[in-house]
Amino acid sequence: MEDRLITLAIHTFEKAQMLKMILESEGIEVYIHNVNQIQPVISAGVRVRIKESDLPHALRVIEDAKWMENANAEEEEKAKEAKSKRKRVLVPVDFSDYSLKACEIAINYAHKMNAEVMIMHAYYSIYYPSAIPLGDTLAYQANEESTRQMLERVQGDMASICGEIDAKMEKGELPTVKYDYTLREGLPEEEIIAYGKEYRPDIIIMGTRGKDQKDIDLIGSVTGEVIEMNKVPVLAIPENVPFNDLGAVKNIAFATSFSQRDLIAFDRFMEVIKGYDVHIHLFNISTSRDEWNEIRLTGVREYFQRQYPEANITYTVLDDGDLLLAIEKFVRDKQIDLIALTTYRRNILARILNPSIAKKMLFHTDTPLLVMHA
């Protein structure tokens, strides 16, 4: 029985050709197909497809070959050029109420920072060419019709959310800022990360469900993956947040162990909140008081007084015991409006076996999270 073809990745045409060349040099047959046969302009990529039996070999080749290094070097060069341009805010949405709240916060933030906003929706179609028998015209027509209907639906949903935003701007409920939208076909977490590399936002703002919601919704799990897999600061907004402007935030908690990477992340954090009048509460992410003694605190205070003399910063030692419960009590006692913390990129196995504290916090609290990457 002949192997069926499966989609290995979705990339721009140039990157797909690069991946095809690498895989074929290892004896793996590769086929390239358009992502969207109906309206190719909707998606900027093509599918890289291989035989199912070649998947383990292909994954090893991708992991070992570091084939994206040249592309990443080019992206970093473009990122340097973009520094002098207007700041950008990316807002992935799933058209829920908390997606609208994320849009409102993003627009208010963009107005404060003189930035532009890009609203993005990624839709996932279960109909793939690999699932259709060759020569089955009826099946292909059914697939084409289903894809067209899905595209029309998401276009309508996007028009609706943009209409709400425009109405709020006209009424003065939101400031007028430059914004646009884009639709992408594919797995949401993959498309958000891929588009982030293309759009190069300064921050990603996206909604997520609160901790009391029992259903695992799409955007919540996607938010966790985006936090883990990209290098851009991510602001996760739970649906029950009472404000739509970070100007209402008065108390921000910053979690740290004061490693060198945390200090670098703190500098990025200060750039993100520049211009906001907030009280910053530094707290320990370890429940061991030995790592948060008075000698160390003295050095920390002196460092921050030199680096950020105008900042209002205080220091808190969490209660012993379960870290997440201690954070929850701290947030309640100090009336924390937003939690900022640092996460580190790790390999897939480490992420599965030991989820980062950022991802744990995402599903444990109703407080917005600002996640910096080190």
Side-chain angles (χ1 to χ4, degrees), residues 300-313:
V300 166
R301 288 192 182 100
E302 291 177 354
Y303 172 82
F304 281 105
Q305 285 172 358
R306 290 195 306 269
Q307 294 296 115
Y308 313 101
E310 303 299 323
N312 181 11
I313 304 176

Side-chain angles (χ1 to χ4, degrees), residues 124-139:
Y124 176 65
S125 174
I126 62 173
Y127 300 99
Y128 286 106
S130 61
I132 302 173
L134 293 176
D136 193 336
T137 305
L138 291 178

Side-chain angles (χ1 to χ4, degrees), residues 78-88 114 202:
K78 291 180 180 178
K80 292 179 182 178
E81 296 175 1
K83 284 296 182 181
S84 60
K85 299 180 181 179
R86 173 180 286 189
K87 290 186 176 182
R88 296 173 173 178
N114 190 29
D202 295 273

